[in-house]
Amino acid sequence: MLPLKRRTQFTPPPTALEAQLVPVISTMAGSLAVLAPTIATEPLMPPFGLMVFLGWRLLRGNIWPLWMGLPLGLWDDLFSGQPIGTAMCGWTAIMLVLDNLDRRTPFRDHRQDWVLAGLLMGGYLLFALVIARITGGNTSPLAIVPQVLLSALLFPLVARLCAALDRWRSPR
């Protein structure tokens, strides 16, 4: 799966800075996935930055403050091709929705997180499509259906990746 060495009792524990940097750097790396050379006539590539962001947020509810969607969303906006502010606004709104849901339902299982992530990614992609249409894009809303489905189907793999990184960054 991941070529990460498991931490043992003899390896020094990560510092607080290292423990905080792993989620941020992995989310930033997920946003860079759009730089992979792909050829498509319709939007098909899932928003990996958002998927990693959701994976960390649903795995560890208190890992980031509410404003963390702003800088990570800006990073995603710089590489995704969306107008600046789309991911900043969308990711911050997602953080607010998740914070509100955490207050109301403190216990969720993996299936509920999967459905929640699928709905949030679908809502974000629809929001990004509306913003793109306002700024001059001309894409049908039906064109993002495969992208939403692929994003929802790939989310459990991204969540497992976040869990593996979490086990590596915080030994027990």
Side-chain angles (χ1 to χ4, degrees), residues 94-106:
I94 286 172
M95 286 290 281
L96 291 171
V97 166
L98 288 174
D99 186 56
N100 193 14
L101 281 174
D102 283 346
R103 290 182 187 176
R104 294 175 188 261
T105 57

Side-chain angles (χ1 to χ4, degrees), residues 2-63:
L2 284 177
L4 297 175
K5 291 184 179 179
R6 190 156 194 96
R7 292 187 186 268
T8 65
Q9 62 185 4
F10 301 111
T11 57
T15 64
L17 180 64
E18 289 173 342
Q20 276 296 99
L21 282 181
V22 170
V24 172
I25 290 173
S26 62
T27 303
M28 292 171 79
S31 293
L32 292 177
V34 298
L35 298 178
T38 55
I39 299 172
T41 58
E42 298 293 328
L44 187 63
M45 189 169 199
F48 285 111
L50 177 63
M51 291 170 70
V52 175
F53 182 73
L54 281 172
W56 279 109
R57 177 58 178 82
L58 292 173
L59 179 68
R60 300 277 181 211
N62 58 355
I63 196 166

Side-chain angles (χ1 to χ4, degrees), residues 4 7 11 19 28 31 36 40 56 61 71 79 81 83 86 88 109-110 134 140 144 150 152 171-172:
L4 297 175
R7 292 187 186 268
T11 57
M28 292 171 79
S31 293
W56 279 109
F79 294 101
T86 304
M88 292 170 63
D109 66 350
H110 176 69
I134 289 171
S140 168
I144 65 168
L150 188 62
R172 293 187 181 20

